[in-house]
Amino acid sequence: MRVLVTGGAGFIGSHVVDALRASGHEPVVFDVRDDPGADVRDPAAVAAALPGVDAVCHQAAMVGLGDGVADAAAYVSRNDLGTAVLLAAMAAAGVRRLVLAGSMVVYGEGRYECAAHGVVRPGPRAAADLAAGRFEPGCPSCGAPLSPGLVSEDAPADPRNVYAATKLAQEHLAASWARATDGSAISLRYHNVYGPRMPRDTPYAGVASFFRSALARGEAPRVFEDGRQRRDFVHVRDVAAADVTALEAGGRPGALTVYNTGSGQPHTVGDLARALSCALGGPEPVVTGEYRLGDVRHITADSSRLRAELGWKPETGFAEGMREFARGE
């Protein structure tokens, strides 16, 4: 299969390219890092890249929490306009198979249960609560403490920042394209991806990269809030394997199918910082109590649907992956 990989020179995209080659496919990289003219927002450039292509793996995106709404136009342009241009070109070229780099950020907060009110959805955390160190959301009905759990693909979307809103819009655009063309679209809702080639010290680097860079300087990782935020850290090679599996399987004609893509092993941000500190023999993490508005407290997914329907499973465990990541491999 000849696969156009947008963002194929980036962190995740480059691993997808490697995984496609290893599986006997022919990846075609489309990325402004390699070619300034390869902008997914340019209809002519995208159209020129599609002849002979059997499927598209759309990784190109502007990522990260961003700066409130100050950079909203940039996110919408790169993520949503770019996706719309790509889908229109695919429709014209007769390419009918798409795998989209989705994100767990579309859920907002994860799944919570109140002892009295069952499964509930807390609203955004207030700045006053965060400043006072009240990091855990309470039940929206009674204010009681909540138990976090795993969120399924059937949970309603509730994006809490501009980036999250653009990732959800990408899925809606892909669903519209699939219905209009009878194409198949799969969105893999990635969790916190880490591993080799992860960006360093940029506004869009993940927390694992920031922690590792601090340790490389001999500094303690600075952990926001109380360090008990739950996340699912999934290795980039496992994510790339999920992309190849999804491309080979295809989706349902005329529809968008979504799959959570995580390790299935929730860990706290504090766990991450301690694992990297231990692996590098560096100073213990410092819990700062600082916070970022727009961050969610807990978001971990149930990825069993991807395992059950497509046969994918992660191969790199947390401890092994963190040791490798700490060594810069």
Side-chain angles (χ1 to χ4, degrees):
M1 192 163 43
R2 194 165 193 255
V3 182
L4 183 70
V5 184
T6 70
F11 167 43
I12 298 175
S14 64
H15 285 276
V16 172
V17 168
D18 290 347
L20 283 166
R21 287 200 182 107
S23 297
H25 300 294
E26 180 188 355
V28 178
V29 175
F30 187 89
D31 196 306
V32 291
R33 298 173 186 86
D34 281 355
D35 177 1
D39 189 329
V40 75
R41 295 169 293 182
D42 182 344
V46 176
L50 285 171
V53 164
D54 302 300
V56 172
C57 185
H58 185 30
Q59 301 289 323
M62 183 175 178
V63 301
L65 181 59
D67 182 20
V69 295
D71 47 11
Y75 274 98
V76 171
S77 175
R78 296 186 187 185
N79 296 354
D80 299 337
L81 175 60
T83 299
V85 169
L86 173 66
L87 294 172
M90 289 173 64
V95 180
R96 296 293 183 262
R97 183 173 295 195
L98 171 72
V99 171
L100 172 69
S103 176
M104 53 82 185
V105 296
V106 302
Y107 296 117
E109 286 285 354
R111 184 182 188 276
Y112 292 88
E113 191 164 350
C114 172
H117 295 96
V119 175
V120 296
R121 295 185 60 78
R125 296 181 295 168
D129 287 335
L130 296 170
R134 294 189 292 270
F135 301 123
E136 293 286 350
C139 175
S141 297
C142 66
L146 300 173
S147 299
L150 300 180
V151 62
S152 75
E153 292 91 345
D154 298 324
D158 185 17
R160 299 288 175 91
N161 55 59
V162 168
Y163 169 62
T166 66
K167 296 306 290 183
L168 183 58
Q170 284 185 311
E171 291 190 349
H172 289 318
L173 289 166
S176 296
W177 165 85
R179 286 191 294 270
T181 65
D182 205 33
S184 69
I186 292 176
S187 178
L188 298 177
R189 290 177 173 172
Y190 301 158
H191 277 250
N192 292 74
V193 186
Y194 73 96
R197 307 172 204 160
M198 193 174 192
R200 293 175 181 264
D201 302 329
T202 75
Y204 311 112
V207 66
S209 182
F210 283 118
F211 288 168
R212 185 178 65 179
S213 294
L215 288 161
R217 297 191 299 268
E219 301 171 2
R222 295 177 59 81
V223 180
F224 279 16
E225 300 187 18
D226 58 4
R228 297 191 179 97
Q229 311 93 299
R230 286 161 50 98
R231 298 291 188 270
D232 186 326
F233 300 100
V234 59
H235 198 278
V236 67
R237 286 194 301 269
D238 289 329
V239 166
D243 276 275
V244 174
T245 298
L247 283 162
E248 291 176 341
R252 302 191 311 274
L256 169 74
T257 306
V258 300
Y259 292 107
N260 290 330
T261 308
S263 72
Q265 300 176 336
H267 289 86
T268 68
V269 174
D271 290 340
L272 169 68
R274 286 187 292 272
L276 290 173
S277 293
C278 180
L280 288 170
E284 286 290 309
V286 173
V287 177
T288 68
E290 298 173 72
Y291 62 88
R292 297 190 307 173
L293 279 176
D295 274 346
V296 297
R297 178 61 174 174
H298 304 296
I299 177 65
T300 54
D302 179 356
S303 299
S304 60
R305 180 181 294 178
L306 181 57
R307 292 168 172 79
E309 294 187 5
L310 300 190
W312 169 88
K313 62 183 178 65
E315 301 291 343
T316 303
F318 180 78
E320 173 194 353
M322 286 300 157
R323 286 193 298 268
E324 177 195 61
F325 182 67
R327 295 192 299 266
E329 298 175 2

